[in-house]
Amino acid sequence: MARRTKEDAGATRERLLDAAEQVFYVRGVSGASLADVANRAGLTRGAVYWHFKDKLDLFDAMMQRATLPIEQVLEGGQQGSESQSPVGRIVRRLAFIAHAVSTDERVRRVFEIVMFKIEHVGEMVAVQQRWVLGVDRFISLLEQDLAMAYEELDAVPALSAGLAAKGLQVLFDGLLHAWLLRQGSFSLEDEGRQLVQFYLRGLGLAADVWS
């Protein structure tokens, strides 16, 4: 019985997260209430408060459900990454993000909510801060691999590894914004591959690996 109760609670939580994702996407985060989420899920506000203390807690759980698996792959490395070159790890990480956003409707919807459907004011300032921390961690990963790739160069690089990593993140983030804004009207994976390879070659780094 206890196991069934736990399973039921987990199913209810997922139902609420699904509803939150749909409501936030349609109404925006500031325009949505917990009552809206409860109604969408066919549950009571009490059920919402049983699982989440407030809208920020609900939003954070919704966002992490979609983004945490991606972060774990990026930070933990993909299978066999130890044998890849530093540049190979960079392009494979970016290819992984492009593929996830392009093919997973939940990931795409959550990215749209975070980028376009939230005002970072009041309690939602915390969301911006967490997003910035995530971006900074990703830039740090890129910087580490760029520094290793630079060690293999005979010539002095035109940009420091730190600045090159920021530039690469900005390039890819801008392309992702454009893709979401235009509702996927072009291939994020194809254009991402071309731009990332062009950028890395501009740094004097071979960048033919993308899958």
Side-chain angles (χ1 to χ4, degrees):
M1 181 65 68
R3 178 178 178 181
R4 180 59 184 272
T5 301
K6 185 176 181 179
E7 290 175 351
D8 289 345
T12 299
R13 187 177 188 275
E14 288 297 304
R15 190 170 165 185
L16 288 167
L17 291 175
D18 288 342
E21 184 181 302
Q22 294 160 2
V23 171
F24 291 154
Y25 185 81
V26 173
R27 298 193 178 186
V29 178
S30 62
S33 67
L34 293 182
D36 294 329
V37 174
N39 289 336
R40 179 77 182 195
L43 299 167
T44 65
R45 287 187 62 188
V48 179
Y49 283 113
W50 177 262
H51 291 275
F52 308 100
K53 63 181 182 180
D54 52 28
K55 189 198 288 190
L56 176 60
D57 190 34
L58 174 60
F59 181 91
D60 190 53
M62 179 211 69
M63 183 173 70
Q64 288 198 40
R65 183 175 66 161
T67 62
L68 189 57
I70 296 175
E71 292 174 3
Q72 290 173 338
V73 170
L74 296 178
E75 296 186 14
Q78 291 174 273
Q79 187 175 4
S81 64
E82 297 83 0
S83 62
Q84 295 173 14
S85 67
V87 174
R89 284 194 296 271
I90 291 170
V91 295
R92 287 183 185 278
R93 283 190 176 108
L94 294 171
F96 176 77
I97 297 172
H99 181 73
V101 178
S102 297
T103 60
D104 190 316
E105 188 62 32
R106 171 174 293 162
V107 172
R108 174 178 175 169
R109 192 159 40 236
V110 169
F111 268 66
E112 280 197 57
I113 293 170
V114 173
M115 291 182 175
F116 302 127
K117 299 176 184 289
I118 182 172
E119 294 179 332
H120 295 120
V121 296
E123 62 181 355
M124 290 299 155
V125 169
V127 174
Q128 181 184 30
Q129 294 170 341
R130 292 170 192 171
W131 189 262
V132 169
L133 287 175
V135 170
D136 286 346
R137 286 197 302 271
F138 184 55
I139 291 174
S140 179
L141 288 173
L142 296 176
E143 182 179 357
Q144 290 173 26
D145 281 327
L146 283 168
M148 293 177 64
Y150 277 177
E151 292 180 1
E152 301 172 0
L153 292 176
D154 292 330
V156 177
L159 294 176
S160 68
L163 187 55
K166 290 178 182 178
L168 183 54
Q169 189 276 327
V170 168
L171 180 150
F172 193 78
D173 187 62
L175 182 66
L176 179 57
H177 268 78
W179 185 83
L180 291 171
L181 193 63
R182 291 169 175 78
Q183 300 181 334
S185 63
F186 60 88
S187 173
L188 179 62
E189 294 188 78
D190 288 344
E191 295 198 11
R193 172 183 52 78
Q194 294 179 56
L195 287 171
V196 168
Q197 290 178 343
F198 182 82
Y199 180 90
L200 290 173
R201 285 173 186 146
L203 296 174
L205 303 172
D208 294 325
V209 180
W210 179 285
S211 60

